């Protein structure tokens, strides 16, 4: 199709290169040479494809771009997300790298939470037997396994597979090693849950090392410049939206107080 020189000068350049390539190949063919392997054609992109690609381009200094960059693994993907490429040490890239690391940490902590929840069931079963009035001599194989598994803790020794043992070795193991052992409490705390949710949200306050600190400073500078060029009413809308996004009422009051002091 036709190429709009003003809207797409690069596309026009590619069309000219294609035309010259075809002319040279035809000349070589007429001269008796096989120019088949030399002939090249530009791969055209339809308007729908162009619109589709444009839809994946993100704005700089946004969470959307930073999150998209965490999924990037090739130069082509980086080119697409950024709408033409950019420096590999931009604030968005540095933040994306840090966010990718903490998302890995969040997955590890999530697995730890699941292990704690599983162990809570083990603890309940073992404690119920130990605190019952049933004497040790009358404990069944399931009783012994439940108490031993609880007393082994979150990670049992590899050579103590209680679910593969029968009654005599279970009784021996309990009497010789675990009878006087008080299990270490294994409880998923509110603090652990707060940390897990922080990591899942991609908050990177704990990753303010030198590389990221400057990235955040550049992002702050960009936002301040942006605020400086928009109108008064628009700035008011931005501040209202910011306050609305805060769920903690105390944090809202602190921000309002700081704005009043500014």
């Amino acid at each position: 199709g036709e190429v709009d020189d003003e809207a797409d000068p690069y596309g026009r350049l590619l069309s000219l290169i294609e035309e010259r390539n075809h002319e040279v190949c035809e000349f070589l063919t007429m001269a008796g040479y096989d120019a088949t392997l030399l002939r090249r054609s530009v791969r055209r992109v339809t308007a729908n494809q162009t619109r589709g690609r444009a839809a994946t381009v993100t704005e700089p200094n946004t969470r959307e771009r930073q999150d998209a960059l965490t999924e990037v693994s090739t130069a082509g993907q980086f080119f697409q997300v950024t709408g033409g490429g950019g420096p590999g040490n931009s604030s968005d890239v540095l933040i994306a790298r840090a966010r990718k690391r903490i998302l890995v940490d969040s997955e590890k902590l999530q697995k730890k939470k699941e292990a704690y929840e599983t162990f809570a069931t083990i603890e309940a079963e073992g404690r119920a037997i130990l605190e019952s009035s049933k004497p040790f001599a009358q404990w069944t194989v399931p009783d012994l396994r439940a108490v031993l598994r609880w007393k082994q803790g979150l990670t049992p020794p590899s050579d103590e597979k209680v679910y593969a043992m029968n009654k005599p070795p279970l009784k021996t193991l309990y009497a010789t090693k675990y009878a006087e052992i008080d299990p270490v409490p294994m409880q998923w705390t509110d603090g652990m849950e707060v940390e897990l949710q922080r990591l899942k949200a991609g908050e990177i306050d704990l990753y303010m090392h030198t590389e990221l600190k400057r990235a955040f400073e550049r992002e702050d500078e960009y936002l301040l410049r942006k605020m400086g060029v928009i109108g008064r009413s628009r700035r008011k809308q931005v501040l209202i939206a910011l306050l609305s996004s805060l769920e903690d009422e105390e944090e809202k009051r602190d921000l309002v107080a700081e704005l009043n002091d500014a």
Side-chain angles (χ1 to χ4, degrees):
E2 295 295 325
V3 177
D4 187 331
D5 293 0
E6 293 185 4
D8 188 11
Y10 184 65
R12 180 55 184 164
L13 174 62
L14 290 176
S15 291
L16 289 173
I17 293 174
E18 181 187 61
E19 290 173 11
R20 296 295 181 270
N21 172 264
H22 291 180
E23 290 173 0
V24 171
C25 288
E26 289 173 6
F27 176 81
L28 290 172
T29 300
M30 292 175 62
Y33 295 95
D34 182 4
T36 304
L37 297 178
L38 300 177
R39 187 181 180 89
R40 293 290 185 273
S41 295
V42 176
R43 185 165 61 89
R44 260 64 177 182
V45 178
T46 67
N48 286 337
Q49 287 176 311
T50 300
R51 284 192 292 270
R53 292 178 179 182
T56 65
V57 176
T58 55
E59 292 295 324
N61 299 289
T62 62
R63 178 64 185 264
E64 181 186 19
R65 171 167 290 191
Q66 294 157 11
D67 286 347
L69 286 170
T70 63
E71 304 296 329
V72 164
S73 59
T74 67
Q77 291 172 341
F78 181 79
F79 187 93
Q80 183 62 42
V81 167
T82 57
N89 61 349
S90 67
S91 59
D92 285 327
V93 173
L94 297 178
I95 292 170
R97 289 175 183 168
R99 187 162 287 134
K100 189 171 185 177
R101 287 196 294 270
I102 67 170
L103 290 177
V104 171
D105 291 344
S106 76
E107 292 174 1
K108 293 178 181 177
L109 193 55
Q110 177 63 40
K111 290 180 180 178
K112 185 175 182 180
K113 178 183 179 180
E114 293 169 0
Y116 270 56
E117 291 173 342
T118 300
F119 191 75
T121 302
I122 294 172
E123 178 182 359
E125 293 174 353
R127 186 182 294 277
I129 295 166
L130 198 62
E131 294 178 353
S132 70
S133 58
K134 182 188 282 190
F136 176 69
Q138 295 179 12
W139 283 9
T140 64
V141 170
D143 292 340
L144 287 163
R145 287 173 176 169
V147 174
L148 281 167
R149 181 62 195 87
W150 169 39
K151 290 205 170 193
Q152 285 176 327
L154 196 62
T155 306
S158 59
D159 59 343
E160 293 179 3
K161 302 184 185 302
V162 297
Y163 295 109
M165 296 180 184
N166 53 27
K167 195 167 187 177
L170 286 171
K171 293 182 71 174
T172 300
L173 180 62
Y174 181 82
T176 58
K177 182 175 180 180
Y178 289 104
E180 303 300 325
I181 289 181
D182 292 325
V184 178
M186 294 290 179
Q187 183 178 6
W188 185 257
T189 65
D190 291 341
M192 292 176 176
E193 183 63 27
V194 169
E195 175 64 3
L196 175 60
Q197 296 307 318
R198 184 190 73 79
L199 292 174
K200 283 185 174 180
E203 297 176 10
I204 53 180
D205 294 345
L206 298 183
Y207 289 79
M208 292 289 286
H209 48 75
T210 304
E211 180 186 38
L212 276 176
K213 188 172 185 297
R214 180 54 191 150
F216 275 106
E217 289 173 351
R218 283 198 296 269
E219 189 172 56
D220 291 346
E221 292 166 2
Y222 170 84
L223 293 173
L224 287 172
R225 288 197 302 271
K226 194 84 170 179
M227 290 289 285
V229 297
I230 63 177
R232 180 185 178 87
S233 61
R234 180 63 181 141
R235 285 199 294 270
K236 183 178 179 181
Q237 291 174 7
V238 171
L239 290 173
I240 292 174
L242 175 60
L243 283 170
S244 299
S245 68
L246 299 177
E247 297 180 0
D248 190 309
E249 292 299 325
E250 185 176 351
E251 191 175 2
K252 284 185 180 180
R253 289 193 293 272
D254 291 343
L255 178 57
V256 171
E258 291 181 21
L259 290 172
N260 289 331
D261 293 337

